[in-house]
Every structure is written in structure tokens, then in C-alpha cells.
Amino acid sequence: QLSELENQIAEHESNIQNLKTQGKTLQSEINRLNAKISKLNLQIKAVNLQLAKLDGEISEKQGEIKVTEDKIVFNREALTRALQTVYENGNTGLMEVLLRHNQLSEFFGDLNSLIDVQDSLVVTIDRIKTLRQELVEEKEVLALKRNDAAALKAYQDAQRAAIQGTKTEKAHLLTVTKG
């Protein structure tokens, strides 16, 4: 009988050791799940910071686009004025302009002014072309930043879903081991 009791004690001891190991394994699994949840929460915080930065960059880019559009409007108005001046001076014959001035120096002054207007016309047209190109590029950058923001938000949603899945897994594990 004694040896039978010793065998039963040994069996119980073995059973206790197995239960201790299972307990450690369960605790380590819970710790792993908690660490995973913490990691995912930190990733979400990182994404939030990136989104805030992107929102700032998007706002800044929208401001740059507005400034560029205002420059285009300003240069178009300058172009309109220059074209009006060229048109008005183009309808006047050279002899009429010459006779209108008492001195030859006044005539050449007007002629130089007209040449200056024509030169500024070319410069203004070039500036408008450049500004339009800048506007297109700024809008493309803005679109890329918005796409980046959308991708980060989708990633963030996936992380939140992963957290929920991990919490569910942890709750299930705790429920199963309690019963």
C-alpha cells in the first residue's frame, strides 16, 4: 500500500508540475497578448502623429496653392493692362504720334515706354506660364499627401482591428482557462 501511495503522490506531484507549467504558459501567453496590444497602441499613436504632420503639410500646401493662384490672377491683370496699352498705341499711326509731341525727345520717350510695355508683356506671359506649372506641381504634391494620409488612416484602422482581435483572443483564453 505504501508503494501505491507513493506512486499516487508521484503522479500528483507530476500533475502539479504540469499544472504549474500550464499556468506559466497561460501567464506568458497573456503577457504576450498584452505586449501585442501595447505595441499596436503605440503604432496607432505613431500613425496619429504622422497624420497630424501630414494634415499640417496639406494645409501648408493649400496655402501655397492659394498664393500661386493669386499671383496668376495678378499677372493676368497686368497682362490685360499691358495688352490694352499696346492696343491703344497700335491704333495710332506713327506720324500722328510724332505730330502730337512738341519735342522729338517726348516722342522717343513714348516710343521707349511702348517698347518697355511690350517687353513687360513677354515677361508677364512667361511668369504666368511658370506659375501655372508651379500650380500643377503643387496640386500633384497635395494629391500625393492626401493619398498618404488616406493610406495611413487605413493602416490605423487595420491596427485598431488587430487590437480588437487580440483583446478578443485574450478574453477567450481567459474564459476557457477559468472554466
Side-chain angles (χ1 to χ4, degrees):
Q1 285 185 346
L2 183 61
S3 73
E4 190 177 302
L5 285 176
E6 287 176 354
N7 283 339
Q8 286 179 351
I9 290 172
E11 279 181 29
H12 282 290
E13 187 65 33
S14 174
N15 200 10
I16 289 171
Q17 290 302 320
N18 285 338
L19 290 173
K20 279 185 183 177
T21 305
Q22 286 178 358
K24 287 180 184 176
T25 304
L26 175 63
Q27 187 59 48
S28 64
E29 183 65 16
I30 289 172
N31 290 340
R32 185 188 70 77
L33 292 173
N34 285 336
K36 185 176 179 182
I37 289 169
S38 295
K39 177 186 134 198
L40 291 170
N41 280 326
L42 289 174
Q43 287 176 332
I44 286 175
K45 284 182 182 180
V47 168
N48 282 336
L49 290 175
Q50 289 174 320
L51 283 172
K53 181 183 173 201
L54 267 176
D55 286 343
E57 290 174 4
I58 286 171
S59 294
E60 183 180 320
K61 191 52 71 180
Q62 286 172 329
E64 290 173 14
I65 287 171
K66 176 71 173 126
V67 167
T68 303
E69 287 172 340
D70 291 345
K71 286 179 182 178
I72 289 173
V73 168
F74 175 79
N75 282 290
R76 279 187 182 157
E77 290 169 357
L79 180 63
T80 301
R81 289 190 300 274
L83 285 171
Q84 184 66 30
T85 303
V86 169
Y87 175 76
E88 289 170 1
N89 289 328
N91 286 338
T92 308
L94 188 59
M95 192 55 111
E96 185 181 333
V97 172
L98 187 57
L99 293 175
R100 192 176 342 144
H101 298 289
N102 293 332
Q103 296 181 349
L104 197 55
S105 63
E106 289 177 5
F107 167 74
F108 282 113
D110 279 356
L111 187 61
N112 284 337
S113 292
L114 181 61
I115 290 170
D116 288 345
V117 167
Q118 289 174 337
D119 288 344
S120 74
L121 191 62
V122 171
V123 169
T124 303
I125 290 172
D126 288 342
R127 192 174 306 130
I128 288 174
K129 286 179 184 176
T130 302
L131 288 170
R132 278 189 181 164
Q133 184 59 37
E134 286 177 19
L135 184 62
V136 166
E137 290 169 4
E138 288 171 351
K139 285 184 176 181
E140 287 173 356
V141 169
L142 178 63
L144 289 174
K145 287 187 182 299
R146 284 184 173 155
N147 287 342
D148 288 348
L152 279 173
K153 286 177 183 173
Y155 177 73
Q156 186 179 49
D157 290 342
Q159 296 300 81
R160 284 191 175 120
I163 285 176
Q164 191 56 45
T166 303
K167 285 180 178 179
T168 303
E169 181 182 348
K170 178 181 161 184
H172 176 71
L173 184 63
L174 289 171
T175 302
V176 167
T177 56
K178 282 181 184 177

